[in-house]
Amino acid sequence: MFDVMLRTMLSSGALTVVMPDGEVQTFGDGTGKPITVRLNDSATVRSLVINPELALGESYMTGRLTIENNDIGGFLGLIVQNMQTMPKVWWQRPANKLRVALRRFAQNNIATRARRNVAHHYDLSGQLYDMFLDTDRQYSCAYFKSATDTLEQAQAQKKAHIAHKLLLEPDMRVLDVGCGWGGMALELARNHGAKVLGITLSEEQLAVATERAAQEGLSDRVQFRLCDYRDLDENFDRIVSVGMFEHVGLPHYDTFFQTLHDRLSPDGIALIHTIGWSGKPQATNPWIAKYIFPGGYIPAMSEVLTAIEKSGLWTADVECWRLHYAYTLQHWLDRFDAHHDEVRALYDDQFVRMWRFYLSASEQTFRHAHQAVFQFQLSRRIDAVPLTRDYLYRPLHKDEALKAAE
């Protein structure tokens, strides 16, 4: 069954598998960079046959599957590329259909469950995130004007691009939903004169963001609050949400966008930045759901727009970023690997392998699958946003104009 599975899945590439008894098998058409993996026990073979999407990550985490030269990017790139064109074997299809059918149940992120899910990932040691993120701790897709941009450049460009889409004016009230460690909120207050409320469900992020505002002398313009978006009763001129929508959960999309509508002023603008799926709706990868983002989901464009339509909001603009997150993740993985020993000292070898698998699998999915980043610009009025996109490429303020002239 293992042989049938891989010969069905792998139509291209060159994969060599060393079985537990030492037998060597080869799969693919022999093209591309050769990849060799070793399976260290028969239980790993059985689990891969039954549920490969879960077992692949688990077996790499525990060291029961090892990759020659530790080339996890090459291995996962080969797997992801083939998964886009080749079917699953017949005995795996029912489980996949069941996961798709049960996604609403798996993503029923009521307030208490949502807070627990956020803590699972975002309340890890702050030292961990310092080791691989940029200096502003932007834990979302950067915006690369060139593939050679540094991570710091690309993250600054991402924040500037979003600020352009918000069409900010001094002293506007801005809500940052899922504010992370405060970087976007501080940017909008510091450089654009906004008054910002950032909300998060992570106590670790709340503490860091609040301290950052105090250190910069911006506590009078930026406040951070431990709060669920559903509990707000204030109105705002602008709403921004970067990298949070993936945690909302499919059953709550209607509530999320209706809340945006109700909390937005009549001439307000909202900008939602989220990972998205450019194909038909899928279920969350079971390994990601179990170990990395419980309750998380990558929405299809159709699922998001259906909920937006119900809310009464105008879809003023939709932008699709394709390879930007692949470049971002490549930077993160390189930095993570450079701090391998420090991460291991914080946690253990299994944690290091788990995060290498997560970062690399995510990068390869953005390179070779239907995954991208969507930005939805929304408004309550048809004329809240200019007729053309020209405004996106004009300097926002005097300092930017001088820089552009230079």
Side-chain angles (χ1 to χ4, degrees):
M1 294 178 76
F2 180 81
D3 183 80
V4 169
M5 177 184 73
L6 283 188
R7 297 202 185 283
T8 301
M9 288 177 56
L10 298 180
S11 63
S12 63
L15 178 65
T16 297
V17 179
V18 182
M19 302 297 285
D21 61 1
E23 179 188 358
V24 177
Q25 298 186 21
T26 58
F27 303 92
D29 61 3
T31 60
K33 180 182 179 182
I35 303 292
T36 299
V37 301
R38 180 179 293 274
L39 306 180
N40 296 319
D41 58 71
S42 55
T44 299
V45 179
R46 288 194 295 272
S47 62
L48 286 168
V49 167
I50 296 169
N51 190 355
E53 291 177 297
L54 176 63
L56 188 62
E58 287 186 332
S59 57
Y60 179 78
M61 282 169 55
T62 57
R64 292 181 290 122
L65 178 151
T66 55
I67 307 169
E68 190 174 90
N69 300 320
N70 209 12
D71 185 11
I72 188 170
F75 173 61
L76 290 175
L78 173 64
I79 298 298
V80 173
Q81 287 183 70
N82 277 277
M83 285 177 64
Q84 304 317 299
T85 56
M86 301 308 295
K88 294 181 182 293
V89 290
W90 65 266
W91 64 83
Q92 293 166 0
R93 293 173 196 164
N96 187 66
K97 289 181 179 178
L98 183 63
R99 283 200 299 271
V100 172
L102 295 178
R103 33 213 180 123
R104 285 186 172 271
F105 174 78
Q107 301 156 34
N108 189 19
N109 295 328
I110 59 174
T112 53
R113 188 177 185 185
R115 183 168 295 188
R116 185 170 63 248
N117 290 342
V118 165
H120 175 91
H121 191 89
Y122 296 97
D123 284 348
L124 296 170
S125 169
Q127 292 174 265
L128 170 68
Y129 292 102
D130 284 337
M131 290 178 196
F132 71 93
L133 297 180
D134 66 302
T135 52
D136 196 41
R137 274 202 191 176
Q138 289 292 307
Y139 193 26
S140 61
C141 180
Y143 187 52
F144 288 81
K145 295 183 179 180
S146 165
T148 60
D149 288 347
T150 67
L151 182 61
E152 274 69 23
Q153 281 178 309
Q155 291 293 12
Q157 289 161 184
K158 182 265 299 291
K159 288 178 286 185
H161 193 66
I162 289 173
H164 273 85
K165 288 189 174 184
L166 289 172
L167 293 155
L168 292 167
E169 296 177 10
D171 294 329
M172 277 188 167
R173 286 210 72 205
V174 179
L175 172 65
D176 184 356
V177 183
C179 61
W181 292 279
M184 178 60 72
L186 294 169
E187 166 86 8
L188 299 182
R190 181 197 314 115
N191 297 329
H192 306 284
K195 295 179 179 179
V196 189
L197 171 63
I199 62 173
T200 178
L201 296 180
S202 165
E203 294 184 5
E204 172 72 17
Q205 290 183 334
L206 175 68
V208 172
T210 302
E211 177 61 23
R212 289 183 66 186
Q215 289 177 351
E216 291 199 35
L218 290 171
S219 297
D220 60 330
R221 301 198 71 84
V222 185
Q223 293 183 331
F224 296 101
R225 188 184 302 171
L226 197 69
C227 177
D228 190 285
Y229 68 91
R230 290 163 284 202
D231 296 333
L232 290 167
D233 59 3
E234 306 157 65
N235 291 332
F236 300 87
D237 301 301
R238 300 291 187 261
I239 299 176
V240 63
S241 182
V242 181
M244 175 271 181
F245 188 71
E246 301 91 332
H247 305 284
V248 168
L250 189 58
H252 303 280
Y253 285 4
D254 291 352
T255 299
F256 180 84
F257 286 108
Q258 191 61 53
T259 300
L260 257 59
H261 176 279
D262 295 346
R263 300 280 68 83
L264 202 58
S265 65
D267 57 352
I269 298 169
L271 191 284
I272 308 303
H273 170 116
T274 180
I275 300 172
W277 190 255
S278 62
K280 64 181 182 180
Q282 303 284 319
T284 300
N285 176 280
W287 184 85
I288 290 288
K290 182 175 180 179
Y291 292 99
I292 306 298
F293 291 119
Y297 178 64
I298 305 304
M301 178 81 75
S302 57
E303 294 173 304
V304 182
L305 289 175
T306 297
I308 292 172
E309 290 166 4
K310 293 178 183 178
S311 72
L313 289 165
W314 275 94
T315 306
D317 190 66
V318 179
E319 186 175 5
C320 180
W321 295 6
R322 288 157 291 115
L323 286 169
H324 295 269
Y325 221 149
Y327 297 154
T328 304
L329 284 153
Q330 183 180 16
H331 280 279
W332 288 351
L333 182 57
D334 288 345
R335 293 181 179 205
F336 184 88
D337 283 344
H339 292 280
H340 175 279
D341 292 340
E342 295 155 83
V343 179
R344 183 174 56 189
L346 273 178
Y347 294 100
D348 55 26
D349 282 327
Q350 182 165 310
F351 182 91
V352 171
R353 289 192 293 268
M354 178 175 71
W355 269 65
R356 286 197 83 237
F357 190 91
Y358 151 55
L359 293 172
S360 185
S362 299
E363 177 191 346
Q364 299 307 320
T365 303
F366 278 102
R367 288 192 184 278
H368 303 297
H370 293 283
Q371 201 155 280
V373 168
F374 301 146
Q375 283 193 345
F376 298 92
Q377 185 191 51
L378 310 171
S379 63
R380 288 184 58 174
R381 286 173 41 175
I382 190 173
D383 58 352
V385 175
L387 288 175
T388 72
R389 280 181 166 182
D390 293 355
Y391 69 96
L392 291 177
Y393 307 103
R394 299 190 199 118
L396 279 171
H397 46 67
K398 185 177 179 182
D399 288 346
E400 277 196 41
L402 291 172
K403 186 176 179 182
E406 292 172 359

